[in-house]
Amino acid sequence: MTPLAAALAVPLMLLAWLGIALGQGYVVRDHAQSTADLAALATVEAAGSCAAAERVVGANAAHSMSPRMVLTGCSWDGGDAHIVVQAELPVTARQML
């Protein structure tokens, strides 16, 4: 391998790693948003019971492919459910930040 190729391989590998880490973060955010939406629908259907939201988040967190998620906020305002879900980034993306 020539010295130029070796010197260019390092930045290329770093860019590839950065792309993978950012992609993981996007997937985790999307999964957390979907879980929060599902928890809000369950809360509305249960007429304001935040226990329904806790069950939904717990069921999704138990899935082997899911990131670790925790329900950090649940409130019922008439017909609106306000749900806050916190998701943990995968190890590789978390190490980057």
Side-chain angles (χ1 to χ4, degrees), residues 67 76 94:
W76 175 254
R94 188 181 39 207

Side-chain angles (χ1 to χ4, degrees), residues 82-96:
H82 303 280
I83 306 294
V84 179
V85 175
Q86 183 177 4
E88 188 175 294
L89 286 174
V91 173
T92 56
R94 188 181 39 207
Q95 288 172 347
M96 180 185 75

Side-chain angles (χ1 to χ4, degrees), residues 16-73:
W17 177 77
L18 179 64
I20 290 169
L22 290 175
Q24 285 179 333
Y26 177 79
V27 168
V28 168
R29 183 186 62 90
D30 188 54
H31 194 82
Q33 180 66 50
S34 297
T35 300
D37 291 343
L38 187 59
L41 289 173
T43 302
V44 169
E45 189 170 308
S49 171
C50 285
E54 290 175 11
R55 283 193 300 274
V56 167
V57 173
N60 275 353
H63 188 273
S64 63
M65 296 300 290
S66 296
R68 184 171 164 261
M69 284 185 277
V70 177
L71 179 68
T72 58

